[in-house]
Amino acid sequence: MSTPNRTDNMTGNMKRKMRSAARLYAVQALFQMEHSNLTLDKVRLEFLDHRFGDFMDGDEMLEGDEAHFTRVLEDAVNHQAPIDQMTDRALVAKWPIARIDPTLRGLFRAAGAELRDESTPPKVVIAEYLDLASAFFPDGKEARFVNAVLDHMAREARPEAF
């Protein structure tokens, strides 16, 4: 007998919110890995044990979709070189990925991981990560930049979807 999935009784809207939260956590985890030199397993466990559903500044963080978080994080790390190359092709020649903001690097790597996987439509991936860019950079021009880069990456990774 199989154990029921904890998301089986949730509404579609709640599942979408949990996936969105998982994307946020994946970008944060990738940022943390780059700055701390911690391993994938250590950062993943820290997020699953201490960030999902935790309180930050008095507000409860949304519980994320653990499977989606793990898949995005692992794919971003395991396929970092081809994702970074795809991102470089989308960037202006004078701005290689090593020169951009580390938060944006994490965002592009997480989005690139999802674009490699055919389970989420590219337009959904772009919209979700564009929302994250706007949240991370509310006053900047980064959202337009992210939109352009992700559009280019999506068209390269999944041209049949356009």
Side-chain angles (χ1 to χ4, degrees):
M1 186 166 145
S2 66
T3 305
N5 186 330
R6 64 183 265 204
T7 62
D8 285 347
N9 295 325
M10 290 185 186
T11 65
N13 189 44
M14 189 60 191
K15 289 178 185 178
R16 280 188 293 280
K17 286 181 180 180
M18 288 179 69
R19 279 190 149 211
S20 293
R23 290 178 176 106
L24 167 66
Y25 294 136
V27 171
Q28 291 174 328
L30 289 165
F31 176 90
Q32 182 172 331
M33 286 177 65
E34 184 173 331
H35 285 281
S36 67
N37 293 320
L38 292 174
T39 65
L40 169 69
D41 288 334
K42 285 185 180 184
V43 171
R44 182 177 46 80
L45 287 174
E46 177 187 327
F47 272 77
L48 293 175
D49 291 345
H50 301 292
R51 303 273 180 107
F52 279 45
D54 198 16
F55 286 89
M56 181 178 281
D57 299 329
D59 295 324
E60 185 176 5
M61 301 296 288
L62 186 62
E63 192 71 33
D65 180 326
E66 293 178 13
H68 191 71
F69 167 77
T70 299
R71 186 172 44 256
V72 170
L73 188 59
E74 288 177 353
D75 286 352
V77 170
N78 293 333
H79 302 287
Q80 182 176 323
I83 291 169
D84 284 357
Q85 291 165 2
M86 184 170 50
T87 305
D88 273 337
R89 287 189 291 274
L91 294 168
V92 178
K94 294 179 183 177
W95 288 98
I97 193 166
R99 288 189 64 192
I100 64 172
D101 181 272
T103 302
L104 289 177
R105 262 195 309 274
L107 188 144
F108 290 140
R109 288 173 178 156
E114 284 204 65
L115 288 170
R116 291 175 53 90
D117 178 6
E118 295 187 8
S119 64
T120 306
K123 292 180 181 183
V124 172
V125 173
I126 293 170
E128 287 283 324
Y129 286 96
L130 188 56
D131 286 347
L132 288 177
S134 296
F136 282 120
F137 303 98
D139 299 326
K141 299 176 186 173
E142 288 85 353
R144 287 194 311 256
F145 171 68
V146 166
N147 188 40
V149 171
L150 291 180
D151 183 68
H152 188 280
M153 290 172 67
R155 289 174 189 276
E156 178 182 330
R158 309 255 298 278
E160 73 286 353
F162 292 91

